[in-house]
């Protein structure tokens, strides 16, 4: 899968996605990430990419022309019509399902805005999807694009090892992940739960499921409506609600 990011800060994007699993995925060729500098496409003498807003008001607006030309050159290079995602707090809120859907594309273009916004006319011409990463305002779309690239990449087949894929429970079944522990068995007076040392696989699985349900109930009860729960889960949840120990 190939990610193409249209931005005024290409270095910020490339630095942000060149670590750990995403770097490994690029190195092994499961994904590729390129950042295209919108400034390279300005025809302005001073390489200006923004201008004052018509109607007045604070801040600057990114001009249509350099963005349009950068996008056109990119589309020509890719050779087939590609989804173009504009990162904006006004978009649909990004979630795990969207990450999975976008991971099915072969190419994706991200347009990162800055300043007070982007000339509406170029958005109308090139953008296919308006996406937000949450209800807060960032100074630019770059961090949001990086968040999306990370979440989408790990849904691309081959990017995660089998071991890493099995750690994918959170949000998959709409439940939060259970707590994890590693050595030493006691740290600052806190002991690892006995059941995890028991070697009894079935009991460990039960305990983990209970923990997942308890955490979801406590921290994200809104997720429980969407979770796929079996009879045992419902029984566990009753215990949790009545604050009984299992
Ligand atoms: Cl996608 N972009 C910007 N600029 N701010 C945001 C956002 C995106 N999502 C939340 N805040």
């Amino acid at each position: 899968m190939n990610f193409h990011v249209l931005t005024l800060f290409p270095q910020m994007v490339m630095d942000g996605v060149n670590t750990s699993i995403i770097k490994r995925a690029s190195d092994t060729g499961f994904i590729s990430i390129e950042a295209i500098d919108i400034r390279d496409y300005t025809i302005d003498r001073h390489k200006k990419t923004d201008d004052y807003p018509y109607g007045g008001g604070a801040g600057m607006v990114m001009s249509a022309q350099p963005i349009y030309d950068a996008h056109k050159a990119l589309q020509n290079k890719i050779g087939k019509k590609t989804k173009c995602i504009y990162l904006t707090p006004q978009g649909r809120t990004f979630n795990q399902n969207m990450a999975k859907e976008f991971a099915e594309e072969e190419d994706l273009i991200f347009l990162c805005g800055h300043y007070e916004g982007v000339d509406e006319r170029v958005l109308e011409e090139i953008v296919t999807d308006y996406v937000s990463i949450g209800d807060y305002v960032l100074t630019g779309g770059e961090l949001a694009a990086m968040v999306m690239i990370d979440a989408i990449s790990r849904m691309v087949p081959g990017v995660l090892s089998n071991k890493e894929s099995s750690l994918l429970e959170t949000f998959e079944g709409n439940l939060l992940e259970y707590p994890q522990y590693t050595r030493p068995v006691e740290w600052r007076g806190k002991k690892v739960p006995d059941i995890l040392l028991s070697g009894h696989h079935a009991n460990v699985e039960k305990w983990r499921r209970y923990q997942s349900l308890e955490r979801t109930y406590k921290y994200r009860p809104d997720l429980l409506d969407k979770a796929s729960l079996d009879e045992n889960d419902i029984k566990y949840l009753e215990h949790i609600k009545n604050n009984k120990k299992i």
Side-chain angles (χ1 to χ4, degrees):
M1 167 152 202
N2 309 303
F3 299 98
H4 314 268
V5 186
L6 298 169
T7 171
L8 287 173
F9 302 96
Q11 200 57 53
M12 176 184 179
V13 175
M14 295 316 288
D15 287 348
V17 292
N18 210 11
T19 316
S20 185
I21 292 173
I22 302 305
K23 175 174 165 42
R24 184 185 71 196
S26 306
D27 290 347
T28 49
F30 287 108
I31 62 167
S32 77
I33 305 169
E34 66 165 343
I36 295 123
D37 193 341
I38 293 166
R39 196 174 303 279
D40 290 346
Y41 290 85
T42 177
I43 52 173
D44 177 83
R45 225 155 38 94
H46 303 104
K47 288 194 167 282
K48 237 165 66 87
T49 55
D50 60 352
D51 213 330
Y52 296 99
Y54 277 117
M60 300 291 270
V61 176
M62 284 172 70
S63 309
Q65 176 271 318
I67 293 172
Y68 186 75
D69 289 353
H71 178 265
K72 195 155 87 183
L74 178 56
Q75 270 287 223
N76 281 341
K77 191 181 78 164
I78 297 170
K80 64 175 191 317
K81 192 160 171 21
T82 307
K83 282 190 175 171
C84 178
I85 299 166
Y86 178 52
L87 292 317
T88 168
Q90 285 146 55
R92 261 195 311 153
T93 308
F94 188 55
N95 61 28
Q96 193 61 37
N97 266 342
M98 288 160 76
K100 270 193 236 167
E101 280 173 25
F102 283 131
E104 282 168 26
E105 303 291 322
E106 200 172 330
D107 292 87
L108 271 183
I109 300 171
F110 293 88
L111 171 60
C112 303
H114 250 267
Y115 314 112
E116 301 306 304
V118 173
D119 191 312
E120 190 68 21
R121 293 166 298 182
V122 71
L123 299 178
E124 289 169 8
E125 286 293 318
I126 70 170
V127 173
T128 59
D129 297 80
Y130 294 77
V131 181
S132 166
I133 62 162
D135 288 338
Y136 42 82
V137 181
L138 304 170
T139 55
E142 283 78 10
L143 282 169
M146 289 186 253
V147 165
M148 287 185 65
I149 289 169
D150 190 291
I152 295 166
S153 293
R154 60 191 290 292
M155 293 295 108
V156 172
V159 167
L160 298 185
S161 68
N162 285 345
K163 245 186 175 162
E164 288 158 357
S165 305
S166 67
L167 288 176
L168 163 155
E169 263 96 89
T170 295
F171 288 110
E172 278 296 300
N174 278 301
L175 292 179
L176 301 185
E177 193 55 282
Y178 50 78
Q180 299 269 25
Y181 302 87
T182 188
R183 291 193 291 179
V185 75
E186 188 172 334
W187 180 77
R188 288 176 67 89
K190 291 167 180 280
K191 274 208 70 197
V192 173
D194 283 334
I195 199 151
L196 298 179
L197 312 175
S198 69
H200 194 303
H201 188 66
N203 282 350
V204 169
E205 286 311 303
K206 270 193 222 167
W207 181 86
R208 287 180 165 168
R209 187 72 182 176
Y210 188 90
Q211 293 293 318
S212 281
L213 289 161
E214 189 171 54
R215 290 194 157 187
T216 312
Y217 179 76
K218 224 165 139 184
Y219 301 120
R220 291 295 307 275
D222 56 298
L223 292 178
L224 285 174
D225 295 338
K226 291 183 275 178
S228 32
L229 304 175
D230 66 16
E231 260 171 61
N232 270 328
D233 295 332
I234 291 162
K235 201 178 74 192
Y236 288 167
L237 271 172
E238 278 308 307
H239 277 273
I240 292 162
K241 284 177 199 169
N242 301 327
N243 212 4
K244 285 189 241 165
K245 275 276 162 255
I246 196 128

